[in-house]
Amino acid sequence: MKKHTASLIFFISALFAATAQSADIPNELSSVLFKIDKISRHQTAFANTKSNVFNAAYSSALPAGCIYKIKTQQNNREVIVQIEYHPKNLQNNTVYLSDDVYNFLTLEDSSFESDMNVQLSFVGWCNEKAQSDFLNIQSLVVEPKDSRREIIQNGLDKYYIQLGAFQFYQNSFGLITSLLPYLQVRPNFYITKTSAQTSCEDVFKVLAGPYSHDDAVRISGFINSFSKDSVMLKSSTDAIKGDKKK
């Protein structure tokens, strides 16, 4: 079984290497299960690498610069990572993550850690030297506890584009990644918490901004012209109201 898995991983790695210059990358990994592990557990292997970047992930089988969505089978959590190739003493079927991402995916619950299977879905490439070493989406996200205050500080004349609502706001990172090229002026992403209308659980609304009214109307209209999931225009006042405790 291990030999078969290793052969499959090798084939997939070769497939991606052969198509690295193409924009049409086949998503062959959706049917392959990977394991995950913490970078901090392997300090010798990762002694000279960046281990504290939220979305950085390491693999000896996947090509550097690839951006993937990782989705857990056990608890249905998602996160976006960018792969950095790492050849030394690593398992081919394991993706090595920062502690923050690993703890988010496993809910910091040891019962998940022994057998956590994840699926990988290809999102895109990040190969330009002028870009940051890693697609660190977390650096653009304002935590829920700070979002309302910062929206007020930005001014009540500003507008925001609501990208969606999520049970776990980290699940929005895939959508954020796909929409970044269309948001034009790189925004921050504000997370506001509100109670769901159909259940007692909280949901997190993700707002891109701040924008002027004209920019928000133009950008949201363009996104809605091609996206199957519509975005919504929100004034600062609407955004603040949505964050009030129910």
Side-chain angles (χ1 to χ4, degrees):
M1 180 66 181
K2 290 183 178 179
K3 184 177 180 181
H4 175 74
T5 301
S7 299
L8 183 59
I9 297 300
F10 176 80
F11 169 76
I12 291 168
S13 182
L15 174 65
F16 272 89
T19 58
Q21 301 304 318
S22 171
D24 299 320
I25 306 296
N27 187 13
E28 298 291 342
L29 293 181
S30 59
S31 60
V32 179
L33 295 181
F34 281 76
K35 301 293 184 182
I36 57 174
D37 202 354
K38 289 182 181 181
I39 294 173
S40 61
R41 289 177 177 161
H42 306 272
Q43 294 183 359
T44 301
F46 290 97
N48 298 315
T49 59
K50 299 176 181 178
S51 61
N52 61 345
V53 179
F54 184 85
N55 291 88
Y58 291 85
S59 169
S60 59
L62 303 174
C66 260
I67 301 167
Y68 289 103
K69 178 177 73 174
I70 294 180
K71 183 175 182 178
T72 61
Q73 287 198 315
Q74 286 90 333
N75 57 23
N76 205 37
R77 287 199 166 194
E78 300 176 2
V79 71
I80 292 293
V81 298
Q82 180 173 314
I83 298 296
E84 179 72 11
Y85 179 72
H86 196 290
K88 296 181 180 179
N89 301 319
L90 299 182
Q91 297 293 321
N92 282 338
N93 66 336
T94 301
V95 178
Y96 296 83
L97 306 170
S98 68
D99 284 10
D100 287 339
V101 169
Y102 183 88
N103 290 338
F104 167 69
L105 291 177
T106 62
L107 296 168
E108 299 182 343
D109 185 342
S110 59
S111 64
F112 286 109
E113 297 185 13
S114 60
D115 190 27
M116 174 63 82
N117 294 318
V118 299
Q119 289 181 312
L120 270 63
S121 300
F122 178 78
V123 174
W125 289 95
C126 187
N127 286 330
E128 295 182 15
K129 293 182 179 179
Q131 293 184 1
S132 173
D133 288 341
F134 300 99
L135 180 65
N136 193 1
I137 292 297
Q138 183 70 8
S139 67
L140 303 176
V141 173
V142 181
E143 296 288 335
K145 62 183 179 62
D146 299 320
S147 286
R148 187 172 187 272
R149 172 176 53 80
E150 291 201 16
I151 289 172
I152 293 174
Q153 289 177 348
N154 291 338
L156 296 181
D157 60 333
K158 301 298 182 183
Y159 285 78
Y160 298 82
I161 299 172
Q162 181 176 313
L163 304 183
F166 303 84
Q167 184 179 1
F168 305 107
Y169 74 84
Q170 290 90 342
N171 286 358
S172 68
F173 287 4
L175 181 61
I176 288 174
T177 301
S178 65
L179 291 181
L180 265 178
Y182 307 104
L183 294 170
Q184 298 181 19
V185 178
R186 177 164 289 197
N188 285 325
F189 297 92
Y190 299 91
I191 313 297
T192 64
K193 184 168 68 173
T194 188
S195 296
Q197 295 180 354
T198 57
S199 72
C200 59
E201 295 181 348
D202 290 331
V203 294
F204 295 93
K205 294 181 179 179
V206 180
L207 306 170
Y211 293 105
S212 68
H213 179 266
D214 289 347
D215 283 344
V217 169
R218 175 173 51 82
I219 294 170
S220 61
F222 177 69
I223 292 174
N224 286 336
S225 70
F226 68 85
S227 176
K228 63 179 181 180
D229 298 315
S230 298
V231 299
M232 299 172 59
L233 195 66
K234 293 284 184 179
S235 68
S236 294
T237 302
D238 289 338
I240 295 169
K241 286 180 179 177
D243 193 45
K244 287 185 177 180
K245 303 291 183 183
K246 300 283 184 174

